[in-house]
Amino acid sequence: MGNFEVLERRFAEANLRVEVIERGIHRVSSWTAGANASDVFQMTILGKGREEYFRILPGARTNRIEAEGIDRDRRQLVLLVQEPVRTFEERIPRHGTQVDRTKVKVIREDQRSLWIERRTDARKRHFLCGRDERQLFICQLPRAVTMVKQAHEVLRAPEVVRSKGNVARQGEWFFVEPTEAEMEALAAALRGFRTIVRRKTPIGRGGHPHVADELVAVPATLVGKRTVAPAVFARGRVRHVDHETVCLQSWAKVVRNTEPVAQDGIARMDGVSWID
């Protein structure tokens, strides 16, 4: 049994469908280009709703791609990816994308797209893949783990782990019961007109953002003799097309999970088709 067949079997063990396309027969994604593009590992999610499935282009045969820990009940697995450094081009849409040209090399551009230079990471990378509520997802992990349970643990931000109150989650966002000092800072900031409550406001950036009924960003605030760090709070319903609605009866602190944030100057959009 070849490596591709093993990968397909491992996904099937997690009750997930995957299509693995060999390098010799696949056409390089329209979002990647350059001499090394066909050697680069690529992965996306295709289909809609319950008909969704993963598509993997493993790239060069020297790339290491292994499905490690599997949780069939959750329909999730941990995927290990390791490949050497390769330079390639990635096409990104102009609309909804911010590019810091001091950090990113733009090779060419037109009215709709930018082509930027990218390099693969030679370090081992681990991804949590599977189904979360309604749809499939791919999430890069902040550090190496082999089991799905461990993956969920390392994605919990320190504030979530330390919290002794109620915690809700919707996708990559956690909603944590604030401390007494944080509630005092929120009240002081509103009372002093240092912030305002925004309604029907997106949380973070992305093509399909999470939208809160009420959202307020509180700057660093002095409470007694202590400065409380800046924070964002949400209240009411939080909606997202891919997740069940979260209902927050009172103010909750908004905390993102620990998935690595790109350092290449690009504000990545939710729903980007390919990861490298």
Side-chain angles (χ1 to χ4, degrees), residues 225-245:
K225 296 182 179 181
R226 175 189 171 192
T227 299
V228 178
V232 175
F233 300 89
R235 186 170 64 180
R237 291 180 173 84
V238 182
R239 297 176 174 86
H240 189 275
V241 65
D242 295 337
H243 301 282
E244 299 292 339
T245 298

Side-chain angles (χ1 to χ4, degrees), residues 1-50:
M1 182 179 290
N3 290 337
F4 297 160
E5 289 83 0
V6 171
L7 195 59
E8 290 174 343
R9 178 171 59 81
R10 294 287 282 167
F11 269 77
E13 289 173 2
N15 200 19
L16 297 169
R17 178 188 168 197
V18 66
E19 179 183 63
V20 183
I21 302 180
E22 295 189 46
R23 181 176 181 272
I25 62 174
H26 85 257
R27 182 176 66 83
V28 177
S29 164
S30 62
W31 294 94
T32 57
N36 295 319
S38 62
D39 290 334
V40 174
F41 166 80
Q42 300 178 68
M43 184 175 184
T44 191
I45 296 170
L46 299 175
K48 293 183 179 180
R50 294 294 170 180

Side-chain angles (χ1 to χ4, degrees), residues 92-98 111-113 269:
I92 59 175
R94 279 183 174 276
H95 178 69
T97 306
Q98 296 181 348
Q111 292 183 341
R112 294 184 177 182
S113 305
M269 292 178 60

Side-chain angles (χ1 to χ4, degrees), residues 44-71:
T44 191
I45 296 170
L46 299 175
K48 293 183 179 180
R50 294 294 170 180
E51 301 301 318
E52 284 185 321
Y53 63 96
F54 294 98
R55 174 177 286 176
I56 293 177
L57 281 64
R61 289 194 172 274
T62 54
N63 293 347
R64 182 183 175 190
I65 306 161
E66 299 175 6
E68 296 190 313
I70 290 173
D71 189 325

Side-chain angles (χ1 to χ4, degrees), residues 193-264:
F193 300 103
R194 300 180 64 228
T195 189
I196 60 172
V197 176
R198 300 183 183 276
R199 305 187 189 281
K200 308 297 182 184
T201 300
I203 300 173
R205 297 172 178 173
H208 298 289
H210 302 250
V211 178
D213 281 351
E214 295 181 290
L215 196 74
V216 58
V218 177
T221 302
L222 187 64
V223 175
K225 296 182 179 181
R226 175 189 171 192
T227 299
V228 178
V232 175
F233 300 89
R235 186 170 64 180
R237 291 180 173 84
V238 182
R239 297 176 174 86
H240 189 275
V241 65
D242 295 337
H243 301 282
E244 299 292 339
T245 298
V246 170
C247 296
L248 305 172
Q249 300 298 324
S250 57
W251 288 112
K253 185 177 180 180
V254 180
V255 180
R256 197 184 190 280
N257 70 13
T258 59
E259 181 179 12
V261 176
Q263 298 297 317
D264 57 5

